[in-house]
Amino acid sequence: MKLFKRFHFIRLSKVRSMPLVIGLSCFLSLGLSSQPVFADGHKSFEITILHTNDFHARFRPISKYDNNCSAENNAEGKCFGGSARLISAIEDARSRHKNTILLDGGDQFQGTLFYTMYKGKVAAEMMNKMQYDGMAVGNHEFDDGPVTLRAFMDTVNFPVLMANANVDLEPELKDKLQKSTIIVKDNRKIGLIGVVTEDVVDISSPGDNIIFTDAITAVQTEVDALTQQGVNIIILLSHSSYAIDKEIAANTTGVDVIVGGHDNTYLSNVSDRAKGPYPTVVNDTQIIQAYAYGKFLGELSVVFDDKGEVVSATGEPITIDKLISENSDVVARLDELEVPINELKEREVGSVSSELNGNRAVCRVQECDMGNMIADAMRHAVMDKGYTIALMNSGGIRASLDSGQVTLGEVMTILPFQNTLATFKVTGKQLLTAIENGVSEVEDVAGRFPQVSGMRFTFDATRPAGDRVTSIETQDEYGWSNLNLYGTYGMVSNNFIRGGGDGYKVFRSASDIYDFGPDLADVVAAYIDANPGYSGYTDGRINQE
């Protein structure tokens, strides 16, 4: 089995003896013992937490743009991730550590044609093969409602957890979805708790029967319950974002490690691209996250004393790249699963002459060329019917696009949610409210940020949310004009946004609503086909003061 180079960085909390801890860490790194003895005779307990998050059905290797990676590029070592490499990395890590636990921070669902065709079945199969020990519910686990989540939970061999919700009124999840659980590793109890982002109602489709609650309160309640059962090592699986994880750590007691997700945060001690150290320590809680899409496998070795206090935490995410061999059985199984979707996936729909940037770090804070193309495609499809303004939520843009021939599979990877085109009419005041919502969380890189066509606007992010938009102009056959708050405008968006998703609740009270247009991916594919050699561009339709 191939071994990987490791970078070890010690982060200490409640340190009893600095020389002892440093010596202990070196001792552990040699793999000589899993339970060293402290000077006072007490035994320590070491466990290595392996973790993933926001995998989004990337079972096959992906490119540097998080999109499809061709077999040729994969053979040349240009690809990352994929289940076949990930399982090899997991097996290697297990061979190097006596005690390991494999956890996921949520959002296994949605993102490729594998999910479009099989829903959660492939994720369940692959996670069972990798022998996960636990998973948080992510917001995308609700994209097809509680029924699909329940089918996934019935298939997997590990607990799926969500503490910050009451599911008693949801028959698919009542008595099935746990808030927390206890597992045992090397005769030591470990408590696992799960939480999901509190805005899941806005950004997914959990239905009307689930009541979501405050994450911090929910976590502390479960910690207290686990503590009463004699558990003094507690790991939180949090699909909430790096910022929220730090808030949870700062405002709770008893959580030792938070395995995060939701905002695709890369933490590292060696990369200048990292948003913070691995682990990030807040209130003696070790916070870890491993970006997304299977590009990394998090690996954190934690030493606890017999009271469950963290003595040391060392590690670094493993890059899942060409240095890791692909498991041939997994490759063969994915080949088999892919047969029914290959014809659809490989059909060429046109070409683009330049790369289009769909990176969330760009499209969720400013105008981006991918957003412009999608919004223009939506507007082009319905403009002859009098709908002249298009709005696309950047959270629905899930990948970038290389230049060259474009397949339907690539378009569906960029727009994986099977949203349909929705047309409706709003007043100018409603449109202003919508754009204010769109820029209200720009500092959080939220998915509600709007990409638009047929309009242009300026906003000031230093002003309070709800009062940030400083100008809006709309376009018709006569040119550009200032927004008329009392006028009526025909709009096109997707059915998710029109139904109030991503905070666009104002669109629920629109008029002349029709939510059942063609699939958004098909609309964009047709637009690419109608514009051979399309070249991406930005033209100042979104400006920030």
Side-chain angles (χ1 to χ4, degrees), residues 184 244 309 401 515 534:
V184 178
I244 297 300
E309 296 179 351
L401 184 64
D515 286 338
Y534 178 89

Side-chain angles (χ1 to χ4, degrees), residues 19 61 67 93 102 115 127 134 207 210 232 266 290 294 406 443 446 460 492 507:
N67 205 333
L102 178 59
Y115 182 79
M127 294 183 81
I210 303 174
N232 61 15
Y266 176 46
V406 180
E443 59 269 45
D460 183 352
V492 58
F507 289 157

Side-chain angles (χ1 to χ4, degrees), residues 46-99:
E46 180 186 28
I47 189 163
T48 297
I49 301 169
L50 308 175
H51 62 100
T52 55
N53 58 276
D54 299 276
F55 188 73
H56 287 300
R58 298 305 206 275
F59 305 107
R60 290 293 200 186
I62 57 175
S63 73
K64 63 182 180 180
Y65 298 107
D66 302 331
N67 205 333
N68 297 328
C69 198
S70 68
E72 293 78 14
N73 284 342
N74 192 39
E76 294 174 7
K78 297 179 180 179
C79 301
F80 299 85
S83 296
R85 283 195 179 94
L86 184 58
I87 195 170
S88 295
I90 290 167
E91 290 172 351
D92 175 76
R94 285 176 173 149
S95 74
R96 293 183 283 102
H97 302 281
K98 179 178 179 181
N99 293 323

Side-chain angles (χ1 to χ4, degrees), residues 250-463:
N251 291 282
T252 58
T253 59
V255 177
D256 296 296
V257 180
I258 297 178
V259 175
H262 186 51
D263 62 342
N264 301 10
T265 294
Y266 176 46
L267 301 178
S268 171
N269 302 302
V270 298
S271 173
D272 58 7
R273 296 182 293 112
K275 289 188 177 179
Y278 182 95
T280 296
V281 183
V282 175
N283 194 22
D284 294 334
T285 301
Q286 319 294 311
I287 301 172
I288 51 179
Q289 197 178 145
Y291 183 55
Y293 311 125
K295 276 189 173 178
F296 299 92
L297 173 66
E299 181 184 278
L300 184 74
S301 294
V302 186
V303 178
F304 296 90
D305 65 15
D306 56 1
K307 295 181 180 179
E309 296 179 351
V310 175
V311 176
S312 69
T314 70
E316 179 71 19
I318 301 164
T319 304
I320 308 302
D321 60 11
K322 63 182 180 181
L323 299 179
I324 301 175
S325 61
E326 293 186 282
N327 180 292
S328 59
D329 291 339
V330 172
V331 171
R333 177 56 176 153
L334 292 173
D335 288 343
E336 180 183 2
L337 289 166
E338 206 167 24
V339 169
I341 61 178
N342 272 339
E343 182 177 349
L344 175 66
K345 182 179 178 181
E346 295 174 2
R347 181 166 63 87
E348 293 183 352
V349 299
S351 65
V352 295
S353 60
S354 64
E355 296 175 357
L356 295 175
N357 189 351
N359 190 306
R360 62 188 285 151
V362 177
C363 293
R364 297 188 180 200
V365 298
Q366 65 188 54
E367 177 187 358
C368 67
D369 52 15
M370 179 68 80
N372 283 356
M373 182 186 73
I374 294 169
D376 287 348
M378 297 164 69
R379 182 173 184 251
H380 177 79
V382 297
M383 192 164 52
D384 62 341
K385 299 178 178 64
Y387 300 97
T388 59
I389 297 173
L391 188 152
M392 174 68 188
N393 59 314
S394 293
I397 302 172
R398 309 306 285 192
S400 299
L401 184 64
D402 295 334
S403 61
Q405 291 299 122
V406 180
T407 65
L408 182 59
E410 288 178 302
V411 177
M412 295 182 74
T413 299
I414 296 165
L415 300 166
F417 300 119
Q418 297 181 289
N419 293 136
T420 54
L421 221 59
T423 52
F424 50 98
K425 292 181 180 178
V426 296
T427 65
K429 186 176 181 179
Q430 288 173 315
L431 179 54
L432 172 60
T433 299
I435 301 301
E436 287 283 9
N437 170 73
V439 300
S440 64
E441 297 182 359
V442 63
E443 59 269 45
D444 298 326
V445 198
R448 65 185 59 193
F449 190 85
Q451 299 293 327
V452 299
S453 179
M455 67 173 293
R456 57 193 183 197
F457 67 88
T458 301
F459 71 101
D460 183 352
T462 66
R463 295 170 64 167

Side-chain angles (χ1 to χ4, degrees), residues 139 205 218 231 405 472:
N139 53 286
S205 303
V231 179
Q405 291 299 122
I472 296 179

